Amino acid sequence: MKILVCLSVVPDTTTKITFVEGDTKFNTAGVTWIMNPYDEMALTRALELTEQYTGTVTTITVGLLETEAVIRKALAVGASDAVRVDAAPLDAMQVANEIAAYARIEKYDLIFTGRESIDYNGGLVAGLIGELLEIPSVNVVTKIEIQGTTATLERDIDGGREVLESSIPLVLSAQKEFSEPRIPNMRGIMAARSKPLKVIGAVATNTTSFVQYEMPVAKQGVKMISAENAGEIIGLLHHEAKVI
Ligand SMILES: Cc1cc2nc3c(=O)[nH]c(=O)nc-3n(C[C@H](O)[C@H](O)[C@H](O)COP(=O)(O)OP(=O)(O)OC[C@H]3O[C@@H](n4cnc5c(N)ncnc54)[C@H](O)[C@@H]3O)c2cc1C
């Protein structure tokens, strides 16, 4: 079984977000990069499937040189090899075009993405890859089992669970519960150094440009009111917060 896992490298969740160049660009100075958490789950499940059925797990990342430390972590966790498309990722369509172009040549049985990247939260890449490759795509999957050329998938729906069957090849996006992320051990870290990390040029041209980012309005400070002063609370809710 040949599985491709799409790895998005995102800022650590504690990152202080600021913008530069007239608020048109995210300021990457001092940012710690991590593997998108949903992609970690996708990677683990891919490894479990190849352990069960044999096969290979390749990761693909659209990103510049600074993403390689995170890609090496995926190799340390157990991926067989990795591909980096040497381009700054700018939007979901560009990322999907790059991944689809590679997958079209290499032909995978399964393509896994995360449910969303935790930076731009588009939730689009899986569906776009499916469309570009003309294969089924299923979003927010919590479980996958394979029988021959059929995949049985589970998804949470409002108040219940949906079970689907799809032929493979297919692309899916992983939701929480898909698997538990694995922590690389020392042996894996050493092995990762000699695993192939192929860097390829971009094929697609990007069509989006970002005009401006705005920070959300800063939250006001907390006002402490003594327990005896119920009248003041009512006054503030009425005149200041205007909720009563
Ligand atoms: C420094 C920097 C600046 C960026 N600036 C912008 C920006 O201004 N606007 C913007 O939209 N995006 C920007 N991105 C790119 C962003 O991180 C995403 O890669 C891209 O926008 C797709 O995001 P999405 O939210 O639509 O992905 P989603 O559809 O939410 O992602 C779902 C899944 O697709 C896969 N995926 C997503 N991105 C990649 C990737 N790059 N490589 C491999 N697999 C991937 C992952 O499996 C992910 O879990 C920037 C990235 C970096 C590193």
Side-chain angles (χ1 to χ4, degrees):
M1 185 174 301
K2 250 181 112 176
I3 308 179
L4 183 67
V5 177
C6 306
L7 282 191
S8 166
V9 176
V10 296
D12 177 69
T13 43
T14 57
T15 304
K16 192 171 180 322
I17 305 293
T18 56
F19 299 103
V20 289
E21 298 180 21
D23 287 344
T24 58
K25 212 171 167 197
F26 171 54
N27 184 6
T28 56
V31 169
T32 304
W33 299 99
I34 58 165
M35 195 186 302
N36 190 44
Y38 296 107
D39 305 354
E40 282 190 283
M41 296 170 203
L43 174 62
T44 315
R45 187 68 191 120
L47 294 170
E48 288 166 359
L49 286 171
T50 53
E51 285 156 10
Q52 195 177 347
Y53 298 106
T54 73
T56 55
V57 176
T58 301
T59 69
I60 186 164
T61 301
V62 180
L64 299 175
L65 185 64
E66 61 265 22
T67 59
E68 286 196 3
V70 174
I71 298 173
R72 287 273 171 218
K73 185 183 164 196
L75 293 171
V77 167
S80 326
D81 61 334
V83 177
R84 177 171 72 81
V85 181
D86 191 25
L90 289 173
D91 62 53
M93 192 68 211
Q94 172 221 11
V95 167
N97 266 319
E98 294 297 344
I99 295 171
Y102 186 76
R104 197 172 285 123
I105 298 164
E106 295 294 326
K107 306 225 181 307
Y108 292 92
D109 301 303
L110 298 168
I111 302 177
F112 289 176
T113 78
R115 170 193 129 154
E116 62 185 352
S117 68
I118 62 156
D119 51 3
Y120 290 85
N121 310 84
L124 289 167
V125 169
L128 291 171
I129 295 172
E131 192 60 24
L132 291 164
L133 294 179
E134 298 182 31
I135 58 172
S137 68
V138 186
N139 266 349
V140 290
V141 173
T142 51
K143 193 172 171 192
I144 180 171
E145 296 297 343
I146 305 287
Q147 276 288 326
T149 54
T150 304
T152 307
L153 309 160
E154 285 189 18
R155 288 158 38 97
D156 287 338
I157 53 169
D158 206 7
R161 190 155 277 220
E162 187 176 63
V163 181
L164 303 159
E165 269 187 7
S166 170
S167 57
I168 56 175
L170 79 92
V171 51
L172 65 79
S173 77
Q175 162 69 313
K176 265 185 246 167
E177 290 182 40
F178 197 58
S179 198
E180 285 294 319
R182 286 185 188 176
I183 297 164
N185 57 26
M186 190 48 80
R187 200 158 149 249
I189 294 167
M190 300 298 282
R193 293 189 187 159
S194 54
K195 285 186 179 173
L197 194 172
K198 186 163 70 174
V199 180
I200 59 171
V203 292
T205 46
N206 180 51
T207 49
T208 312
S209 64
F210 293 88
V211 180
Q212 196 176 28
Y213 290 102
E214 265 178 37
M215 295 299 283
V217 180
K219 282 189 186 152
Q220 287 181 353
V222 174
K223 251 183 204 160
M224 300 300 286
I225 295 158
S226 86
E228 294 82 51
N229 224 345
E232 192 185 343
I233 297 177
I234 292 164
L236 285 170
L237 289 173
H238 186 58
H239 296 294
E240 221 171 83
K242 296 191 184 356
V243 291
I244 55 171

